[in-house]
Amino acid sequence: MAKNILHASSIRLFRGKFLNDTQMKRTWLFLSILACFAGIIKGNTLQGFDMAEVKIMPANVFYQAQQADLKYLLALDPDRLLAPFLKEAGITPLKPNYPNWESMGLDGHTAGHYLSALSMMYATTQQPQLLIRIQYMLNWLDSCQRKNGDGYVGGIPDGKSLWNDIRNGKIDAGSFSLGNRWVPLYNLHKTFAGLRDAYLYAHQTKALDMLVKLTDWFDQLTQSLSDDQVQQILATEHGGLNEVFVEVGQITGNSRYFTLARRFSHKAILQPLQEGKDILTGLHANTQIPKVIGFKCVADATHDPDWDKAARFFWDLVVGKYTVSIGGHGVREHFNPANDFSSMIESNQGPETCNSYNMLKLTRLLFLSSGQTKYLDYYERTLFNHILSSIHRDSGGFVYFTPMHPCHYRVYSTVNNSFWCCVGTGMENHAKYGEMIYARTPDTLWVNLFIPSQLIWREKNVEIVQQTRFPFEPNTQLQIQTSTPLNMTIRIRKPVWVRENYLAVRINNGKEQRIPVKDGYADVKRVWKNKDVIQIALPMQLLYERLPDGSSWVSLLYGPIVLAAACDTAQQIGLFADASRMAHVANGPLYPLDEQSCIVSNDDDWIKKVKLLDANKLQFSIPMRLKNNEEVNIMLQPFFELQATRYTLYFPLFSESQFKQQQQLWLEKEKEKLALQQRTIDEVAPGEQQSEVGHNFKGENTEWGIHQNRFWRHASGWFSYELSDNAKQARYLSLTFYGLDNNRTFDVWLNDIKVETIHLKGDRGDTFFTVDVEIPASIRESASTNYTVKFVAHPGSLAGGVYYIRLLK
C-alpha cells in the first residue's frame, strides 16, 4: 500500500519476534482494510506507490531541488542533532547541540524530521550513505531508549520531570508551552514520525520496535489522566500525535492504538468542524492542520463518517476561504480573517511553508479516499508554486515565510545556523516529490501530475517513463516499457486549468484522439506493448485570481503556474540566516505600498494586453502604471524560478478613478506607518506564538484571544516579556488597549520597578488607543540592553487586555 505499509519483509519481524501465520493474516487484514493512506473508489482500493517505485528524472527543476536537499541533508552532523537525546538519557554527547531553536527549548525536534527526510530520500534515490546515517541515528536513539529504561526517547530539556508531572496530573498548559517547556508534545511527535518513517521508507525493523515502545510508554504515562485533563494538554500545540497512533495501530494490528488516537484528538477543533462551523480566524494555523490529518486517519481506520466530514470541511474552508494563489495561507503564522486580507499584503510574514507541507499531507489522504481531482488541483498548485519555491536550488536553504507584500523577499536557512520548524519540514518536502505523481487501482494507472519521472510498477512488471518540460511546454509524454503485452487502463487527469472537456492524446504518433473526461480523468484503455507512447496536450491560458476577500489585489497565472515580477536585490537584510532566534523573518525594509506598480484599466479585457516574451522561459510582459502616472512594462515569470530577490506576487487592479483615490490613501497610511516604525526599537504582539516565544513570555493565570482581528493577552495574575534595546535609545513603552474594556486595574513594571498603574474604564469607545509610558531615567541608566515588562493585575481585576507593546525611541 501507499507509504509501503504493506511490506512483507519488514512487517513479519515485529518487536524481535516472528509472527505466526494467523497473526500475519490478521495483520495483513488490518493493513489492507484500515490503512490511513488508502480509500475505496468504486469498489477498488486506490493506492499511492511506494517512493522507491518513483524516480525523479534529471535535468528539471524538481530534480535540482531534490539534489540541493540531498546536499543539505549530508551537510548536517548527526552527532549534533542527537546531542539533546543523549543528554536526556544521561549519556555524554559526542558533540554539542546545534544553535538556534535546537538550543532554545525545542532541542531535538530537528532529529525527527531529519530521520524522516533521510528515509524518504533514501527510498527515492537509494543513496547508500543515507542508509548509513539512518542506521547510525537509530542505533544511538536505541541506546538512549534502553538507557531510559521505560520506552521513552526524546530530546526535550528536562523532559523526565515534565513527564512525571503529567503522570501525576500536574498540568500547566498554554497555547505553546506545557510545564514551561516549548511545545514538548509537538517536539516529541517529530521523534514518533521519524521512527515511523525509518520503518515505512527505509524498512528498519529496529525503528518499528522503538516506535511501539515509545507509544506504549506514552499510553502508560497518560492512562491515569481524565479525558478533561487530556483535552487540557491538547490545548498546547502537539503536532499530529493522533495520526501516528493510528499508524501504529495499523502496523501492529492492535486496535487499542486507535483508541489512544481518538483520546488524543482535540475536541475543541473536532466538534465545530463536525458541525460545519468556521472557527479558524485567528487560530495558529499549523497547530490545527496536523490535528485534522489525524482526524482523517482515525476516520479511515475506524470508518467514522463524522470524523471524515470534519477533515473534508476543514480542507474546504482552508482552500476555499483562506488560501492565496501559491497554495499557502496565514499571516504571522495565524489564519487571517477570511473577509480581510489586508494584513497579508502589509506583513513581512506571509504563508508559512510548514502549513503547506501539512495541507499536502491532508490533501493526499483526501484524494486517496475519494479520487476527486479537486484535491489534485490544489496539490499541484501548492507543489509547483509554494513548495518548489521554498528551497534555494544552489545552497539548499529553506524558506519559512513567503511574504505577499509587494517587492519583499524571503530568508533562506543555512546548514549550521537554522533549525526552524520549516527547516525540518523543508528537508522532507523535497525528498518526496514522487508520492503523488501516480496512483493505482488493480488494473488502472492514474497519472496525476506532470513531472519528469520513472515509475516501476512491480506487480504489473511494467515501467512508465514520463518525459516532459511542463510547464515550459504544454504537453507530456508517457512511454510504456513491458516485456509482455499488458491490458491496462491509463487514467490521465484533466486539470481544472485545461478548459476543454476532453484531453487530446496521440498514441504512437498516430491521429489525435479527443478522449472525453469523466470524474476529472480521461481513460485510455488498450493492450499496451513495449515502447508504446502516449502524447498528451495540456493547453494553458493566462488567468488571474483576486485575493479571497475580493479586494483589488490580483495574482496572474499561466495554467497552474503563478507568475511573479522580480524587483531588485537591495537591502535583503539577513537573506541567508544566522543563528538568532527570529532570523527566519525577512526584516529588511518594506517597500511602501504607494510605490507599487498597478494595473490600471477601465476595460475588463485588460489581461489580453499581457504579451508572451519567451515561451521557453514562460516570460511575459504586462503594462503597469507607477504612482507618477508613468507607464512601464513589467516582466513576469514563474515564481519558482525566482531566488534571492525581492518579488511581487499580487498587483493592485484599479480603474482610472480608483487609482487616483487609492494612491492618496496609501500615501497617508504609509507616512504614519513609517514614522512609527522608525521610532520602534522592539515590539511584541501578545498572543502570537513566535513573538511571545522570541520575547521570553512568562505568566500565571493568563489567557489570550482575538478581538476585531487583533490578538490580545490578559491575566488575573501576571504576564511578562523581555524587550531588547541594544543601542540604549529607549524612552517610552507604548501599550495598545481596547477602548471598551472596563473595570480593569493593573500595574506595569519595568525591571522590577513599578512605572505605571493603568485603569481601563471602558470610556474610549469602540476603538484602540495607546498609552505611552515614559521610562524613568533611573531605569534607563541602570538597565542593561534588555527590559523586562510585567503586567500585574490588582486583586479581583484583570491585567490587560494588552494588544501591542512597543519600545520607542
Side-chain angles (χ1 to χ4, degrees), residues 314-386:
F314 176 85
W315 188 94
D316 287 338
L317 270 183
V318 174
V319 174
K321 294 178 62 176
Y322 294 92
T323 296
V324 295
S325 63
I326 63 170
H329 61 268
V331 180
R332 300 170 70 96
E333 301 192 359
H334 296 75
F335 287 109
N336 57 279
N339 62 353
D340 184 3
F341 273 68
S342 58
S343 60
M344 179 75 77
I345 295 297
E346 294 171 359
S347 180
N348 64 351
Q349 299 179 35
E352 177 186 353
T353 308
C354 278
N355 295 5
S356 290
Y357 159 89
N358 277 310
M359 279 300 293
L360 291 191
K361 288 183 68 174
L362 176 60
T363 301
R364 184 172 188 269
L365 296 178
L366 292 170
F367 168 70
L368 289 176
S369 65
S370 73
Q372 291 181 278
T373 54
K374 71 175 184 178
Y375 297 115
L376 293 173
D377 290 325
Y378 170 77
Y379 194 102
E380 176 183 63
R381 175 79 72 90
T382 307
L383 181 66
F384 273 86
N385 298 294
H386 196 188

Side-chain angles (χ1 to χ4, degrees), residues 101 176 186 237 283-287 289 324 326-335 344 348-359 378 382 386-387 390 399-404 420-423 425 429 584 689-690:
W101 293 17
F176 306 109
Y186 166 94
E237 184 178 12
L283 293 183
H284 186 259
N286 200 48
T287 296
I289 309 169
V324 295
I326 63 170
H329 61 268
V331 180
R332 300 170 70 96
E333 301 192 359
H334 296 75
F335 287 109
M344 179 75 77
N348 64 351
Q349 299 179 35
E352 177 186 353
T353 308
C354 278
N355 295 5
S356 290
Y357 159 89
N358 277 310
M359 279 300 293
Y378 170 77
T382 307
H386 196 188
I387 299 301
S390 67
V399 169
Y400 197 115
F401 293 121
T402 299
M404 296 293 109
W420 328 313
C421 52
C422 292
V423 170
T425 56
N429 278 331
H584 58 285
Q689 179 197 24
Q690 293 299 335

Side-chain angles (χ1 to χ4, degrees), residues 72-73 75-78 80-82 84 96-111 113-114 182 186-187 354 398 400 412-427 577-584 690:
Y72 201 101
L73 291 174
L76 286 166
D77 187 340
R80 299 191 70 180
L81 293 174
L82 287 164
N97 286 33
Y98 271 119
N100 193 242
W101 293 17
E102 280 292 319
S103 294
M104 295 179 175
L106 209 57
D107 312 29
H109 79 113
T110 308
H113 282 297
Y114 187 62
W182 186 7
Y186 166 94
N187 188 340
C354 278
F398 305 109
Y400 197 115
Y412 298 94
S413 67
T414 52
V415 169
N416 292 312
N417 294 315
S418 309
F419 295 90
W420 328 313
C421 52
C422 292
V423 170
T425 56
M427 291 188 292
D578 60 23
S580 58
R581 170 66 183 83
M582 299 296 288
H584 58 285
Q690 293 299 335

Side-chain angles (χ1 to χ4, degrees), residues 143 213 233 236 269 297 360 432 454 481 489 628 637 640 676 771 790:
S143 297
K213 287 178 181 176
I233 289 172
T236 303
I269 299 299
C297 287
L360 291 191
K432 58 177 183 175
Q454 176 192 42
Q481 299 178 8
T489 298
N628 63 1
Q637 59 189 307
F640 65 73
L676 180 60
V771 173
K790 186 176 183 180

Side-chain angles (χ1 to χ4, degrees), residues 42 371 373 446 491-494 501-503 515-523:
K42 297 180 180 177
T373 54
W446 300 49
R491 304 200 78 199
I492 305 162
R493 165 176 158 259
K494 186 198 83 70
N501 60 0
Y502 60 85
L503 281 184
I515 308 297
V517 171
K518 183 179 179 181
D519 297 329
Y521 283 88
D523 288 359

Side-chain angles (χ1 to χ4, degrees), residues 740-800:
L740 292 180
D741 279 345
N742 194 17
N743 297 322
R744 302 184 182 203
T745 303
F746 53 96
D747 297 326
V748 181
W749 295 69
L750 269 180
N751 292 1
D752 297 324
I753 297 174
K754 186 170 72 173
V755 295
E756 190 82 8
T757 298
I758 303 289
H759 303 278
L760 298 181
K761 302 177 181 179
D763 56 356
R764 296 293 192 107
D766 185 13
T767 186
F768 295 92
F769 68 96
T770 60
V771 173
D772 289 349
V773 178
E774 186 173 2
I775 302 173
S778 58
I779 297 180
R780 289 191 278 107
E781 292 167 0
S782 62
S784 65
T785 58
N786 289 330
Y787 289 95
T788 298
V789 56
K790 186 176 183 180
F791 303 90
V792 183
H794 282 202
S797 189
L798 286 174

